[in-house]
Amino acid sequence: MASASGISGTAMVDWAIMEDFVTSAEDGVDTETLTRLFDLLVRAHSLSLEALRGVARTAAQKELNRAALFLNNKIAQMTDQNRDTTATKIDAVAIKTLSPPLPVIAPPEEVEILLPPRDREAISQQVSDGPLALALLPISRHVDALYQDMPWPKEVKNILVYTAVCGGNGDIVAAARAIETIYKMSPGIQIDWVVVADCKNYNAKSFLDPSIVASGRISIRYGFRSNPPSADPVDLMLVGPVAAHSSEAGDICQHYGRKLMGPVCAFREIGCSPLNILWTPSSSSSPSQIHSTVFPSPAVSPLHAYPIPMGIIEGTGVFLETRRQFASRDKSFSPSSYIPEIQENSLRKDLLESMGIADGVSQPKLEKYSLNFGYAHRASSWEKFIDCVAMHEKNSANKKNNKDVIIVLNQKGAVDEYFFEDFKKMLLQKLDLLKNKGFGKVVLKSKDEASTLLDQGSKEGSSFTVMIRPSFSPRDMERLQLASDRLLSTGNNSAVESWCARCKLYLYESVYGSDGFGQIFLQHQVDRASEVSRNLGRFLALAGGDIRSVSARSVTQPFAQVQIKELEEILEDPNLEKDTLNFCDCLVKRTPFQEIVTNSLKRTIWHSRISELVQIEREGLGKEFYEKLGLYFSGQVLSREQSVVRVRSLKAIQDKLRKRMAK
C-alpha cells in the first residue's frame, strides 16, 4: 500500500487492488474499466487535496501523477476513440490538482525607478513608446497588485474573450491560458470565446483545461459560424494576445451579437511595446492627468488604456504551464515514461521501435538514447537544430556515452513546408558532418513514407534518426517536450513550454528573421541568458540569430562554416547544460502572467464599480511622485536626483482601497 505523507487514511490508494482491477480486464483495457478506476483514485484524493499545503500537497500530487502514468500506459493499448475519451478525463482532474492558488504578496515598502534621459531635440515633441514606458512598468504592476486579494464581484458574470488569430496556435494557447485564469476567479462566470481566423480551422477546445470544457461555463465560436450563447449583456471584455483598440470593442461585441456594458481589457504578445504613453508639452501637468496617463484604467479612461504586456523584462510575465513545471521537476518520474503516452500511433510506434521496444508499451532506457524535439516555422531552423544536436551530442563530455540520437521535427511551419524529399536532401548534405562527429547509420522516418537509410556508416558509430510529422497535437507536444534532452521553439508559447519542461540545450527561432516581435523576444532571452553565463548568451544569440551579433541576412539562413566552428567551441563548454537548466528555472520563477492578468482585471472591474478608487490611488502615491513626472513631461532636463522617483505608500493605499470597498 502506498500513501502520501501526512494524508489521512481516506486518501490512501491500495495499488495492489488498482493493478488487479485493471489487469483483470480481458483482451486489453476498456474505457469503462479505466473510468471506474480513475474515479476511485479521485474519490481517494478529493477531500484531502484542497486542504493540503507544502510537503503533504507535493506528496499527494506525486501520487496522483503516478496514477496518471500507470493509467496512461494502459491507455496506450486502447483504440484511438476510447484513448481520447479516457485521457481527457484523467487530464481534467490532474490539471485541477496541479494548479495551486496564486500567492498573496504584501506590497513592497518602497519602489524606486529611474526616469530615462530625454533627448534635448525631442523635448518639445510628443512623449510616446520607449524607455519611459519600460521604466514605469514595475510601478504599474505594483498598483495593479493592490487589488490581488480583492473578491470578484458576483454581479460580473458574462465575459467575452476575443481572439484574432495572426500567429497560429500560439495566439489560441495564450487566450486559453487567460481564460483558465478568469475561470478560477469566480464559480459564476460564463465565458463567450470568439476565435477569428482567416485561413485555417482551429480546434480551440483542445488547448483548454478539459475541466473547463466539461463545466459548461464556456462556449467557443468561430466568427459567424455560431450564434451567441446568450442575449445577456457583456460585463467585461478581454482581447488578446493580438489587441484591438478599446474604441473598437463595442462594435466587436455588437458584431458578434452581444452588447458591451462593462470595461475592456487587452493583453499583448511578447515583444510588443509595453504601453502607449502619449503626452505633449501642452498637456496639463495636474496629478489627475498624469495618473490617468501613467496608470490608465480601462474602466475610467478606455481611450488611453494600454494592453497588459507579456514578456520577460521587469514588469511583465508569461503564461506558465503548470503540468510541465511539476512533471519536469518530479525526480520520481523518468522522461522515458512520457514516450508510451504519445497519442499518434505511428509516431509512438516509430519512437519505441527506434529505442528497441517491441511491445509498444514498455519504457525505453534513455541512457542508450537521446531524444530531441524541435518545433519551428522555417526550414533553416530545423537544419540549425540538427547541426546543434549532432555537435552537442558528440562534444568531449558526451562522446563517450555513444548514445543513439533521435530528432523529432514538424514539417509544416508558418513560413516553410518541407516534404520527405526535402528533408532527405538536407540530411544527405550533412553526412560529412555526421560522419566526422562519429555517427554511423543515418535514418529518415515519416508517417507516410517508408523509412529510408541514408547512410549505413560504421557498426561502431551510434545511429542518427530524424522523424518528421506535419504537426503535433497539444498533448503530444507536451509529452515530447518532457521526454527530450534538447528543444527548439518559436513564437511565445512553445518557448515558455520549453522553459517549463526544462532541457539541457535550448534554441529559439526568430520566425520573421531580423524584424518583428520574435527578434525582440530573442534579444530579451539572450540578455537573460548572458546573465547566467557568457557562453549561454553567445549560443542563444548565434543559434537564434540575434541581429546584434549576426548579420540580418544570416538569421533565416543555415549556419555558415565560420558559425559552425564558433558553435563547436561554445558547445564544448562543460557547464552549458547546467547553465541552460538555470536559465529555464530563472525565467519560470519570474512573475507568472496569470498573476498579472488577475490583478489587472480586478483593478479594472472594481474601477468600473467604484470610481473613487482612482482618486485613492492618486492621492496615495504622493505629491513628490507627480511633481517629478510633471517636470519630466514639461520638457525639462532633469538632474540625476530629480530623475529618481520613489513610491513608499503602497500598503497605505491598499488599506484605504479595502476600507472603501467594504462600505
Side-chain angles (χ1 to χ4, degrees):
M1 179 179 292
S3 64
S5 173
I7 302 177
S8 66
T10 60
M12 294 181 180
V13 178
D14 191 325
W15 287 97
I17 293 176
M18 291 176 68
E19 292 180 10
D20 288 345
F21 188 35
V22 171
T23 54
S24 63
E26 297 180 0
D27 300 322
V29 184
D30 60 274
T31 303
E32 182 180 359
T33 299
L34 279 177
T35 299
R36 288 169 59 201
L37 173 59
F38 197 64
D39 284 343
L40 173 68
L41 175 68
V42 171
R43 284 198 302 273
H45 284 80
S46 60
L47 295 178
S48 56
L49 274 176
E50 291 301 319
L52 291 174
R53 293 293 182 270
V55 175
R57 183 181 178 88
T58 301
Q61 289 171 340
K62 285 185 177 181
E63 192 166 348
L64 179 63
N65 217 6
R66 177 183 170 189
L69 172 62
F70 175 77
L71 296 176
N72 277 325
N73 285 338
K74 298 300 178 183
I75 288 172
Q77 304 171 18
M78 300 165 60
T79 65
D80 287 345
Q81 181 178 1
N82 287 344
R83 180 184 300 118
D84 290 344
T85 301
T86 309
T88 297
K89 185 177 182 67
I90 290 176
D91 278 353
V93 178
I95 293 174
K96 182 178 179 180
T97 56
L98 297 180
S99 300
L102 295 173
V104 176
I105 302 172
E109 293 184 3
E110 180 178 292
V111 179
E112 178 180 298
I113 66 167
L114 182 67
L115 296 176
R118 294 189 60 188
D119 188 333
R120 288 179 178 273
E121 295 181 0
I123 283 178
S124 62
Q125 300 174 9
Q126 175 176 274
V127 177
S128 187
D129 296 348
L132 176 63
L134 295 175
L136 290 170
L137 266 179
I139 296 182
S140 298
R141 297 287 77 84
H142 285 303
V143 170
D144 287 346
L146 298 176
Y147 296 79
Q148 62 181 319
D149 60 345
M150 306 300 182
W152 185 262
K154 290 185 290 186
E155 298 81 4
V156 180
K157 297 180 179 179
N158 295 293
I159 299 177
L160 187 142
V161 178
Y162 177 78
T163 304
V165 181
C166 296
N169 285 333
D171 291 338
I172 296 180
V173 172
R177 297 282 182 268
I179 287 170
E180 291 170 7
T181 302
I182 295 171
Y183 177 85
K184 295 174 183 178
M185 290 186 185
S186 171
I189 287 177
Q190 296 290 326
I191 301 170
D192 179 7
W193 188 11
V194 178
V195 180
V196 180
D198 291 335
C199 56
K200 183 179 177 181
N201 293 323
Y202 290 94
N203 180 15
K205 182 174 72 173
S206 66
F207 296 97
L208 280 170
D209 177 333
S211 65
I212 296 178
V213 177
S215 72
R217 286 168 48 193
I218 183 169
S219 66
I220 306 172
R221 50 195 179 119
Y222 302 88
F224 293 106
R225 278 183 271 169
S226 63
N227 295 322
S230 168
D232 294 338
V234 172
D235 302 313
L236 174 69
M237 181 176 177
L238 179 65
V239 180
V242 179
H245 196 278
S246 300
S247 62
E248 302 170 347
D251 291 339
I252 290 173
C253 272
Q254 187 174 3
H255 195 64
Y256 293 102
R258 304 295 295 270
K259 183 177 182 180
L260 180 62
M261 296 296 289
V264 182
C265 271
F267 67 99
R268 295 294 303 272
E269 59 265 60
I270 300 173
C272 291
S273 176
L275 54 108
N276 188 32
I277 294 177
L278 296 177
W279 190 275
T280 60
S282 60
S283 300
S284 168
S285 295
S286 68
S288 176
Q289 180 64 36
I290 294 175
H291 188 85
S292 65
T293 301
V294 176
F295 308 120
S297 169
V300 179
S301 50
L303 296 181
H304 295 94
Y306 51 80
I308 317 164
M310 293 195 290
I312 57 174
I313 60 175
E314 188 175 6
T316 66
V318 294
F319 280 121
L320 300 179
E321 212 291 317
T322 309
R323 289 193 304 182
R324 285 173 177 81
Q325 277 183 272
F326 178 78
S328 67
R329 288 158 179 79
D330 187 351
K331 299 186 183 301
S332 64
F333 289 94
S334 165
S336 63
S337 65
Y338 300 104
I339 297 173
E341 297 177 15
I342 290 173
Q343 288 180 303
E344 195 211 303
N345 288 330
S346 66
L347 179 59
R348 184 177 66 253
K349 181 173 179 290
D350 281 348
L351 281 169
L352 291 174
E353 286 181 353
S354 296
M355 295 180 176
I357 303 299
D359 62 12
V361 177
S362 301
Q363 295 181 21
K365 297 180 179 179
L366 288 188
E367 61 267 20
K368 296 182 179 180
Y369 305 94
S370 172
L371 178 61
N372 309 273
F373 175 59
Y375 182 84
H377 294 301
R378 286 187 178 275
S380 59
S381 300
W382 299 321
E383 186 168 349
K384 289 177 177 179
F385 187 57
I386 290 172
D387 290 340
C388 289
V389 170
M391 289 187 286
H392 191 234
E393 186 59 42
K394 294 299 183 179
N395 68 9
S396 300
N398 292 324
K399 197 168 186 178
K400 59 185 178 183
N401 297 328
N402 203 37
K403 288 185 177 183
D404 291 334
V405 168
I406 301 169
I407 300 177
V408 181
L409 297 170
N410 66 305
Q411 295 174 251
K412 188 174 183 180
V415 179
D416 293 325
E417 181 176 2
Y418 256 33
F419 298 96
F420 186 86
E421 290 301 319
D422 298 315
F423 274 100
K424 180 178 177 181
K425 181 179 179 181
M426 178 196 294
L427 286 172
L428 287 172
Q429 293 172 346
K430 297 192 175 300
L431 290 181
D432 287 342
L433 170 67
L434 296 175
K435 286 180 181 178
N436 290 336
K437 292 298 175 184
F439 290 103
K441 185 170 63 173
V442 179
V443 179
L444 176 63
K445 293 186 175 185
S446 76
K447 183 177 182 178
D448 300 321
E449 301 280 348
S451 298
T452 298
L453 179 65
L454 301 179
D455 188 45
Q456 180 61 51
S458 64
K459 293 183 179 180
E460 294 77 21
S462 52
S463 65
F464 193 92
T465 302
V466 175
M467 298 182 187
I468 53 176
R469 292 294 187 276
S471 60
F472 306 94
S473 70
R475 184 179 174 85
D476 282 353
M477 284 272 289
E478 176 187 321
R479 270 45 181 178
L480 288 165
Q481 288 165 337
L482 286 169
S484 292
D485 289 333
R486 303 170 185 89
L487 295 171
L488 162 67
S489 67
T490 187
N492 290 182
N493 184 61
S494 66
V496 179
E497 289 175 346
S498 296
W499 307 337
C500 291
R502 307 172 87 233
C503 55
K504 63 183 185 181
L505 196 70
Y506 165 77
L507 285 75
Y508 179 78
E509 171 198 61
S510 174
V511 61
Y512 296 113
S514 59
D515 300 319
F517 302 147
Q519 179 63 215
I520 298 172
F521 185 29
L522 170 64
Q523 292 179 12
H524 290 167
Q525 292 181 78
V526 170
D527 292 342
R528 300 291 82 76
S530 299
E531 294 172 1
V532 177
S533 80
R534 177 175 178 271
N535 270 345
L536 184 62
R538 287 174 62 202
F539 173 76
L540 198 55
L542 182 57
D546 183 343
I547 58 173
R548 299 174 300 181
S549 304
V550 302
S551 68
R553 182 179 180 276
S554 69
V555 175
T556 57
Q557 299 295 319
F559 291 131
Q561 194 58 41
V562 64
Q563 293 175 317
I564 290 284
K565 291 181 179 179
E566 185 178 354
L567 283 166
E568 286 181 319
E569 174 194 335
I570 297 172
L571 292 170
E572 283 293 328
D573 183 349
N575 295 317
L576 195 63
E577 294 181 15
K578 173 177 65 69
D579 292 338
T580 302
L581 290 171
N582 288 338
F583 167 76
C584 292
D585 288 340
C586 287
L587 291 179
V588 168
K589 287 176 183 176
R590 289 177 178 268
T591 304
F593 200 58
Q594 284 92 332
E595 181 180 318
I596 292 175
V597 168
T598 297
N599 296 342
S600 185
L601 288 177
K602 285 186 175 181
R603 178 175 182 257
T604 296
I605 205 66
W606 277 110
H607 281 192
S608 71
R609 302 180 65 77
I610 307 175
S611 59
E612 297 168 51
L613 300 179
V614 177
Q615 182 180 349
I616 293 173
E617 290 176 6
R618 184 176 67 244
E619 292 176 350
L621 287 170
K623 182 179 179 182
E624 179 188 352
F625 178 80
Y626 294 104
E627 284 180 347
K628 289 191 174 183
L629 283 176
L631 289 173
Y632 183 90
F633 285 128
S634 70
Q636 293 190 37
V637 178
L638 305 182
S639 66
R640 169 77 183 186
E641 177 57 33
Q642 288 174 318
S643 298
V644 177
V645 178
R646 297 180 180 88
V647 174
R648 300 187 178 94
S649 52
L650 291 172
K651 180 64 171 67
I653 297 173
Q654 188 177 56
D655 291 341
K656 291 181 180 179
L657 292 173
R658 288 171 173 167
K659 184 176 180 180
R660 174 60 187 86
M661 293 166 67
K663 288 184 178 180

